[in-house]
Amino acid sequence: MDKNPCNSQDAEVRKGPWTMEEDLILINYIADHGDGVWNSLAKAAGLKRTGKSCRLRWLNYLRPDVRRGNITPEEQLLIMELHAKWGNRWSKIAKHLPGRTDNEIKNYWRTRIQKHIKQAADQNFQGGVKAMEMMNNINPHEHQAASTSQVDSTMETYSPPYDHDHVVEAFHHGTNTTTALHYHHHHDSNVNENYWSMEDLWSMQLLNCD
DNA sequence: AAGCATTGCAACCGCGGGAAA
DNA sequence: ATTTCCCGCGGTTGCAATGCT
């Protein structure tokens, strides 16, 4: 649509899903020359893609150590703990889950965990009120595009209390059944303590599903 | 069986920060 | 010191697959 007709020879940049041929070109080029310097890599490899696109494809999909398949309950728990600590710092969280990409974790959070939180909160279960409180507790200090963009209003983004003023503790006591996530709000006037216990998580069936 | 709705994930976009020129 | 360029991050979108009526 915005193709420039003047210099069509180098202006054509491919977008959308990668073909097998493109994948092979990228894999082989990186095998020979290594990754990084993505813009020049894209040109040198003869790919009609932006460096950005090449980098994304490699890091999220083609990289040999990328781990695919179901997120394990342990990984899920770790994601929740780290998200409670750091919020939407997906790449930072991903560094603690070997083989998992920030994109995968982000997608997983949005499609699975966030949805379950919402669904569970909609039902009358024990922790629902607490979950809703937490979902509504949007931190005003952090960047939060979710609250400003056109995110579906029925599926508000849960924003954990990862303000510096908040202390988040995560415990591990051997098995996951005794693990607890504790969110402590100690300066919010309207919330004295928010505990999101493992019992709550289990009741949300977050850890039962594969 | 067909059409519509929902889900899940790959990929794109815009922006900020840092390095290089 | 300033500008330009590139990388990486987080948010968002597009679409194929799947489920539902």
Side-chain angles (χ1 to χ4, degrees), chain A residues 42-80:
Chain A
K43 285 192 194 108
L47 288 163
K48 292 178 168 27
R49 295 270 181 175
T50 63
K52 224 175 182 179
S53 179
C54 293
R55 174 185 166 271
L56 196 73
R57 184 63 177 170
W58 175 252
L59 292 179
N60 286 345
Y61 200 85
L62 297 176
R63 212 162 31 114
D65 57 330
V66 68
R67 187 174 164 197
R68 314 202 69 77
N70 292 341
I71 301 277
T72 66
E74 289 77 18
E75 286 176 314
Q76 182 175 40
L77 183 62
L78 188 55
I79 290 170
M80 297 182 75

Side-chain angles (χ1 to χ4, degrees), chain A residues 18 21 26 39 57 61 64 70 74 76 86 89-90 102 107 111 118 131 162 170 173 191 199 207:
Chain A
W18 280 63
E21 287 78 13
L26 184 58
N39 278 338
R57 184 63 177 170
Y61 200 85
N70 292 341
E74 289 77 18
Q76 182 175 40
W86 298 324
R89 301 283 189 267
W90 303 117
D102 55 349
N107 281 335
T111 59
K118 168 64 178 165
Y162 46 83
H173 293 140
V191 181
E199 288 76 12
L207 301 175

Side-chain angles (χ1 to χ4, degrees), chain A residues 50-200:
Chain A
T50 63
K52 224 175 182 179
S53 179
C54 293
R55 174 185 166 271
L56 196 73
R57 184 63 177 170
W58 175 252
L59 292 179
N60 286 345
Y61 200 85
L62 297 176
R63 212 162 31 114
D65 57 330
V66 68
R67 187 174 164 197
R68 314 202 69 77
N70 292 341
I71 301 277
T72 66
E74 289 77 18
E75 286 176 314
Q76 182 175 40
L77 183 62
L78 188 55
I79 290 170
M80 297 182 75
E81 288 176 3
L82 297 179
H83 187 269
K85 266 191 203 169
W86 298 324
N88 298 352
R89 301 283 189 267
W90 303 117
S91 68
K92 193 174 179 180
I93 293 171
K95 286 188 174 71
H96 291 73
L97 289 117
R100 301 295 186 186
T101 68
D102 55 349
N103 207 34
E104 187 177 16
I105 293 170
K106 176 173 57 180
N107 281 335
Y108 183 76
W109 179 268
R110 284 182 50 81
T111 59
R112 305 291 292 276
I113 298 179
Q114 190 171 270
K115 186 185 73 181
H116 276 95
I117 289 172
K118 168 64 178 165
Q119 283 177 349
D122 281 348
Q123 297 166 0
N124 292 329
F125 78 106
Q126 190 187 350
V129 175
K130 281 176 281 187
M132 283 302 283
E133 284 174 358
M134 292 164 63
M135 289 172 69
N136 292 330
N137 183 23
I138 303 295
N139 186 331
H141 302 307
E142 287 284 344
H143 64 282
Q144 32 165 314
S147 65
T148 56
S149 59
Q150 70 280 21
V151 166
D152 181 6
S153 61
T154 64
M155 191 163 149
E156 294 178 286
T157 299
Y158 150 66
S159 181
Y162 46 83
D163 190 329
H164 297 305
D165 291 332
H166 294 109
V167 177
V168 178
E169 295 175 304
F171 303 63
H172 280 262
H173 293 140
T175 66
N176 54 7
T177 56
T178 55
T179 305
L181 292 171
H182 287 193
Y183 297 92
H184 292 191
H185 293 217
H186 58 258
H187 81 156
D188 280 355
S189 56
N190 55 339
V191 181
N192 287 333
E193 57 176 0
N194 275 328
Y195 285 93
W196 195 1
S197 68
M198 275 321 284
E199 288 76 12
D200 291 338

Side-chain angles (χ1 to χ4, degrees), chain A residues 3-20:
Chain A
K3 276 230 184 105
N4 188 350
C6 302
N7 45 3
S8 57
Q9 68 242 23
D10 59 343
E12 53 179 271
V13 175
R14 276 187 50 79
K15 285 185 181 180
W18 280 63
T19 65
M20 203 180 300

